[in-house]
Amino acid sequence: MKVRDIRVEMTTGVALWKRLSFLVALPAVGLCMANAYLSHHHHERPEFVAYEHLRLRTKKFPWGDGNHSLFHNSHVNALPDGYEEDH
């Protein structure tokens, strides 16, 4: 192959992937975002059951009071003795 043939082949491949990105990938991401936004429902929090094998604390966490994980969310995550607040 000559250098000119390789360049033509490369530019057609680049153009193809550029068109695919703008015409297929971006609309697909937009549709996924719209689906996630429109189908979001508020889920009820399940009743707390104190299973022995869950939420074990062999030592305290090195931050805060030692009982909350680093990304603790009081609405979703339970402590070993139950949820922090009624939702």
Side-chain angles (χ1 to χ4, degrees), residues 2 14 16 21 26 33 42 66 71 78 80-81 83 85 87:
K2 294 184 178 180
V14 168
L16 171 72
S21 295
L26 288 178
M33 287 174 49
H42 181 70
F71 301 106
D81 55 348
Y83 293 109
E85 58 190 39
H87 198 334

Side-chain angles (χ1 to χ4, degrees), residues 22-44:
F22 286 115
L23 298 176
V24 176
L26 288 178
V29 169
L31 286 173
C32 290
M33 287 174 49
N35 183 34
Y37 179 75
L38 295 175
S39 66
H40 177 71
H41 298 95
H42 181 70
H43 300 284
E44 294 296 323

